[in-house]
Amino acid sequence: MFTGSIVAIVTPFRNGKVDERALGDLIEFQIVNGTAGIVPCGTTGESATLSHEEHDRVVALTVEVVKRRVPVIAGTGSNSTDEAIALTKHAKQAGADGALLITPYYNKPTQEGLFRHYKAVAEAVDLPLVLYNIPGRTGVNLLPVTVSRLTACSNIVGIKEGSGSVQQTSDIVQMCGERITVLSGDDPLTLPIMALGGKGVITVTANLLPKDMSAMAAAALANRWDEARRLHYKLSPLFAALFLETNPIPVKEALGLMGKIDPELRLPLCPLLPDNRDRLTRVLKDYGLI
């Protein structure tokens, strides 16, 4: 259902508020350049520091601007199951095509708790759901056997796999087969994950280079591996630069240097260190982005 290069879009701020005009312009930039889908209010969208009102507005605005041209997969995860259900219900009401749900963070549920959490959301909201596993941020790893159990829920259609383990991704593909779509949650691992049977990526890099990320994913889906590999190596310096510090600090700085947004962040995130800003600037110049 959801394949190709899907952008985890930033939430631009100006003077402490969501910059709706800039967000609309970013969405248009994505669609014109071939992005296969938009994810608002993910980690890259600083969902953790959006108020509930802002979160709902960003999802609704994204749906309004996209106008069904590509799927909108709203970030609706929480470490409270009731809150995740409420956010997912709003996404459905707003017209989103799906929801992305991060594993509950900080409270460290067991695998049984993770299973019950996702099952509860799936039963409460009739909307296609994408699981999101990123243990480096959440402190809990959604194991392949639990993913396999969750495929019994007909509206759990995908997983954004960000464990950083190619073996874990391989196990998910092997255990689940066509019952779930595996998407990379780590830009540098997109190509190897797609070689194992993944169908795309939910990507940070596409904020800057939607055309190249889309081309790489499309080439891999079409088994044009030489082309996909060439694009992977072309993009590799940018993959590294965008994670010099915690995402989305570098990508917002890059978009600011490109003149697309004010690179404003919300505490506890703060601007790039000067040395890292210099390194990022060099990569952007080498790529011809600035």
Side-chain angles (χ1 to χ4, degrees):
M1 177 177 287
F2 304 125
T3 63
S5 174
I6 300 166
V7 66
I9 203 160
V10 303
T11 303
F13 300 120
R14 186 176 291 274
N15 299 323
K17 298 184 182 301
V18 174
D19 187 340
E20 295 192 1
R21 181 172 179 176
L23 178 57
D25 289 345
L26 290 177
I27 291 168
E28 291 295 344
F29 170 66
Q30 290 295 318
I31 293 173
V32 166
N33 285 283
T35 284
I38 312 282
V39 174
C41 300
T43 305
T44 309
E46 292 176 86
S47 57
T49 49
L50 295 177
S51 69
H52 285 179
E53 293 77 15
E54 287 172 329
H55 190 287
D56 289 352
R57 177 57 184 156
V58 169
V59 170
L61 178 63
T62 302
V63 171
E64 290 168 18
V65 174
V66 169
K67 296 184 175 71
R68 299 290 177 191
R69 289 175 288 174
V70 296
V72 174
I73 309 168
T76 62
S78 172
N79 65 341
S80 160
T81 303
D82 285 346
E83 183 173 83
I85 289 170
L87 291 169
T88 308
K89 283 182 175 178
H90 172 268
K92 179 178 173 63
Q93 292 164 0
D97 301 283
L100 177 70
L101 290 120
I102 197 165
T103 52
Y105 37 86
Y106 186 75
N107 38 20
K108 295 186 74 171
T110 62
Q111 294 300 305
E112 181 63 25
L114 290 170
F115 173 78
R116 294 187 187 193
H117 168 80
Y118 282 117
K119 185 171 183 284
V121 179
E123 290 176 345
V125 191
D126 183 18
L127 187 69
L129 305 180
V130 178
L131 314 173
Y132 181 14
N133 185 41
I134 185 162
R137 281 192 182 258
T138 65
V140 64
N141 188 15
L142 183 65
L143 296 178
V145 66
T146 308
V147 177
S148 182
R149 287 181 70 195
L150 285 166
T151 62
C153 301
S154 61
N155 57 327
I156 292 179
V157 301
I159 179 168
K160 177 182 178 182
E161 173 50 45
S163 67
S165 169
V166 173
Q167 183 61 56
Q168 178 157 315
T169 304
S170 176
D171 291 344
I172 293 169
V173 172
Q174 190 169 30
M175 286 183 186
C176 299
E178 297 301 316
R179 289 179 290 140
I180 200 164
T181 297
V182 177
L183 300 168
S184 174
D186 189 352
D187 287 5
L189 292 182
T190 300
L191 185 58
I193 283 174
M194 294 189 73
L196 289 167
K199 302 300 183 185
V201 58
I202 296 179
T203 164
V204 176
T205 307
N207 279 281
L208 312 183
L209 285 162
K211 188 172 289 186
D212 282 359
M213 286 299 297
S214 294
M216 183 178 71
L221 285 169
N223 294 317
R224 300 194 306 271
W225 295 108
D226 287 346
E227 180 184 349
R229 196 158 38 241
R230 177 184 64 78
L231 286 162
H232 166 83
Y233 284 116
K234 180 184 177 185
L235 287 158
S236 286
L238 200 57
F239 293 158
L242 291 180
F243 291 89
L244 285 168
E245 293 181 22
T246 303
N247 178 49
I249 295 171
V251 71
K252 280 195 137 180
E253 183 67 33
L255 286 166
L257 290 167
M258 292 167 66
K260 292 190 174 297
I261 65 168
D262 184 328
E264 184 176 317
L265 298 152
R266 282 189 174 169
L267 286 170
L269 298 185
C270 61
L272 272 175
L273 294 171
D275 285 352
N276 285 335
R277 189 179 192 275
D278 291 344
R279 292 169 66 188
L280 175 64
T281 300
R282 285 196 297 273
V283 172
L284 295 177
K285 285 180 176 176
D286 289 344
Y287 219 101
L289 290 171
I290 59 174

